[in-house]
Structure formats: structure tokens, C-alpha cells
Amino acid sequence: MPMDWDEFKSQKSSGGGGGPSPEFRMPEFRMPKIPKLKLPSTFVLLIIFILWLMSGIFSVGPDEQGIVLRFGKLNRTVSSGLNYHYPFPIEKAFTPKITEVKRVEIGFRTIDPGPPARYSDQPLESLMLTGDENMVDVDVIVQYRIADAVKYLFKIRDPDTKDLSGTVRLASEAAIRQIIGSKPIDEALTTGKGAIQIRTMETIQKVLDKYESGIRVVAVQLQDVTPPKEVIQAFKDVASAREDKNRLINEAQGYRNQVIPETRGKVAQILRSAEAYAETKIRQARGDASRFLATLKEYKKAPEITKKRLYLEMMKEVMPSVDKIVIDQKNQNVLPILPLRRGSLSKELSK
């Protein structure tokens, strides 16, 4: 049998009894077994507790608002950034997007935004009755955002679900049916779309404020307002005739706006000319009257001289424009007549 190191060492020190030396063998070294590490249960619980505490760390985006509930009751609101709340079930956090503009489609659904976009019609929503008892097909988009995150989360149920149970969808459909039902079909199809959008937006907002929904309606857009398919061609003919009527009215108004200013300008010109003529005649009459009075004054001073001067002035004005003949009665041998007309005198001289 092989010996271990201790037996070999004891025999060597005792001399071995004079017998033959035992065979030498290298001892076998056996590594001690390492016992399995057993973590204490308190350490495991500590790790679990730390992980549980770290589960309360949450972040709020720049377009979000943090709402923290403690045992199901509102405790506080937090701003964007890294925040902390007591882990579940003590506290719970919600982070709704308060700047995102959401939309509700009434009368149609967007299947694929495309391009090209694909839509599906929803006739149960789009067919509406107008105030004059006609049917129209109305497609509407309502855009809204969160104005009060607390009311939005806890005051209403299903505010923006895609099915028919959403609060915003139901309020919007009720509002558009109410407004369309108060308008005639001509107004809904043509000139009244802007007013319908504004009134629908106001009505939806009143309903949502009454519910304390925390929602602010941004816009209401009438995507399409058309008659039912069965009578759409007749309505197109009516719309075309109405457009022709409006075109003719606009042309007549344009002609009127052109002619009236021209006529007013001519009238003003004639009035100015008449006023100028009247002023000229008045001044001329006054001048003539002044000259007559001055002549009368001189006539009273020397009547004969004044008569002779007036006679000479008149002859000076009259004589150049009349034919004049000078007759010499004393001379019988020569031509007694001397025509003094300009043309005749030149002819006589040329002879």
C-alpha cells in the first residue's frame, strides 16, 4: 500500500527496525473542495428593494406633462425632464402629450396616407339632413389638442379612441349634424361652408367644456360636402347655373362701376365749363357796363365831341369790312367810279 507523507517521515526517523527500506512514492496532493457560496436572503431582498425603488424613475418629454397619482389620487404634476415617483403600487405616473395635435375623421377613414392616399367611406356618419329636408354627404376633420392633462385623463372616458365610442368623435358628429340641420342645402354646398366650420367648432368646444374634458378644439375642416350619388348630376347642373348667374351679375356690376364714374366725370366737366362760361359772360357784361358808364360820363361833359369820337371809332371798325366806292361828280372825262375793294382794286391796277 502506498504511504502518505507522514508515515514515510515517521519511519525514516525511527530507523525502520533495520529492515529493507520501503519503496518511495510521491504523495498525492488533493485540493480541498470549495463550498458553494450561499447569499444571505437579506442581500437578495436588498437587491430586489433597490430595483423596486429604481422602477420609480421616469422621464417626461418636452411635449409631455407628467401626472403623478398616489394611491389612485392626484398628487402632483411634473415638468419635462427626468423625474421620480414612489414605485408601484404607491404612486403611478402618466405622461400625456399636451402639444400634439390629434384628429378625428367623421364620414370617412384614412386607410393609407399614401401617396397615393386611400380612404374608406362611412355613410352612416356622412349622410346628414339639411334644414330644407335635403340629404348631403359631409366629410369632416376635427383637430384638437390637450389643454388640461388632468381633466383629459380623469374627467372623460375614451377621449380619442378610433372607434365610435370616443367622446370627441361623438361630440363632433352631434355638433356637425346640428349645424347642417339648421342650414339650407345651397348654403351647405356653396357659400356657407366657412360659417358652418366656425359654428361647428364653437359647438364642439361648448360640449367638451361642459364635460370638463380638458380638450381644446384647434380647427374644423369640411373636407367634402356633396349631394348623394343618386342626384349628384342634377346638383352639378344647378351649381353650374348658379355660377353662370353669379358671373353675369359680376360682369354687370363691373360695367356699372365703369360707366358711372365716366358719366360723373362728364357731368362734372360740363358743370365746370358752364360755370366758366357764366363767369366769362358776367365779367364781360360788367366790363361793358363800366365802359358805357365811363362813356356816358364823358358824353355829359362834351356831347358833340363824344358823338364825333364815337362815330369815328365806329367807322374805323365798320369801314374795313364793307365795300367802298368813291365817285367824283366834278370830273366828267375820267372814270367816275373808283372801287376800293381789296380784290377789285388790285385787278384795276393790274389792267
Side-chain angles (χ1 to χ4, degrees), residues 133-288:
E133 298 182 356
N134 286 294
M135 295 294 295
V136 289
D137 194 326
V138 182
D139 294 338
V140 186
I141 292 178
V142 178
Q143 296 179 336
Y144 67 96
R145 64 176 181 84
I146 301 174
D148 190 326
V150 176
K151 293 181 179 180
Y152 176 79
L153 291 175
F154 307 114
K155 290 289 186 178
I156 57 175
R157 178 184 299 175
D158 300 332
D160 55 354
T161 54
K162 294 184 179 180
D163 56 10
L164 294 179
S165 63
T167 303
V168 178
R169 182 182 303 282
L170 294 177
S172 301
E173 185 176 350
I176 189 63
R177 287 186 180 275
Q178 176 185 347
I179 302 304
I180 291 293
S182 64
K183 300 290 184 179
I185 188 171
D186 291 340
E187 189 172 349
L189 291 175
T190 55
T191 59
K193 292 183 179 180
I196 290 174
Q197 290 180 162
I198 295 174
R199 287 194 57 189
T200 302
M201 179 176 173
E202 294 174 350
T203 304
I204 296 173
Q205 190 62 60
K206 288 180 181 178
V207 173
L208 295 177
D209 290 344
K210 186 177 180 180
Y211 292 161
E212 297 183 358
S213 62
I215 293 174
R216 177 63 56 189
V217 180
V218 177
V220 174
Q221 299 176 355
L222 293 177
Q223 292 296 102
D224 193 14
V225 181
T226 58
K229 296 179 180 179
E230 294 76 9
V231 295
I232 190 170
Q233 186 59 42
F235 273 91
K236 286 182 178 179
D237 295 339
V238 173
S240 178
R242 185 177 293 108
E243 290 177 357
D244 292 339
K245 172 188 173 182
N246 294 332
R247 178 178 57 82
L248 293 175
I249 291 175
N250 293 333
E251 290 178 357
Q253 290 179 348
Y255 178 75
R256 173 180 177 270
N257 294 334
Q258 178 183 358
V259 170
I260 289 179
E262 292 180 357
T263 305
R264 288 176 177 173
K266 292 180 179 179
V267 170
Q269 182 180 1
I270 293 172
L271 289 176
R272 300 288 86 81
S273 300
E275 292 174 355
Y277 179 78
E279 185 68 20
T280 301
K281 290 299 180 181
I282 291 173
R283 292 180 179 274
Q284 184 178 358
R286 288 177 179 174
D288 294 342

Side-chain angles (χ1 to χ4, degrees), residues 41-101:
S41 60
T42 55
F43 183 74
V44 176
L45 293 178
L46 180 61
I47 293 177
I48 295 174
F49 180 74
I50 292 175
L51 294 177
W52 179 72
L53 290 178
M54 292 179 63
S55 66
I57 300 174
F58 69 102
S59 64
V60 180
D63 59 340
E64 299 175 340
Q65 184 178 12
I67 308 296
V68 180
L69 303 183
R70 179 174 295 176
F71 297 114
K73 186 178 180 180
L74 178 65
N75 180 262
R76 65 188 181 277
T77 60
V78 295
S79 59
S80 60
L82 196 63
N83 295 274
Y84 181 80
H85 68 83
Y86 292 124
F88 182 83
I90 301 175
E91 290 184 345
K92 186 177 181 181
F94 297 91
T95 57
K97 296 182 180 295
I98 59 175
T99 60
E100 178 185 5
V101 177

Side-chain angles (χ1 to χ4, degrees), residues 326-339:
V326 179
I327 299 175
D328 189 1
Q329 296 179 355
K330 296 179 180 181
N331 192 352
Q332 300 294 331
N333 298 323
V334 298
L335 184 66
I337 300 174
L338 179 64

